[in-house]
Amino acid sequence: MQTSPPIETPDGRYIVVRGRLWRKSNPRLPPERLMSLVSDLMSARRAVRQAGADEGRLRHARDAVNAAKIALGERGPVWWSDGAPDFNRHLVTSTPYADWYHARSAGDAANDTDSDAG
């Protein structure tokens, strides 16, 4: 089963997953720093899985996931400076991106219909 990459908002701030906006990492992070933080995040996610029912280990691992996401810019203060609000985790249809999303979805549906005609 091949999945297509998530769509990105025109301003590059979010991806859309199952109709919900998720803030992207700060694009101004240097590549080495980005790779290091992603590695930290993956290690922390593995630690969450391995913690099982151990509440102390689970809390520590979840705190590490949160710290990595904040450092990446996916949580915490926004990484843009134009004063635009944060719509992280909001349904795209209840944000200013709704019209763009509906237009894009309508275009995708038309393209799907066109490709079925062949």
Side-chain angles (χ1 to χ4, degrees), residues 39-51 57 61 65:
S39 178
D40 292 347
L41 176 59
M42 295 300 107
S43 293
R45 285 179 169 165
R46 282 190 297 276
V48 168
R49 276 196 313 274
Q50 295 166 352
R57 284 181 61 201
V65 167

Side-chain angles (χ1 to χ4, degrees), residues 3-5 10 20 37 43 56 58 60 76 85-87 89 103 108-110 115 118:
T3 60
S4 59
R20 195 168 295 275
L37 291 170
S43 293
L58 187 60
H60 179 74
D86 186 14
F87 294 107
R89 301 183 184 186
D108 288 346
S115 64

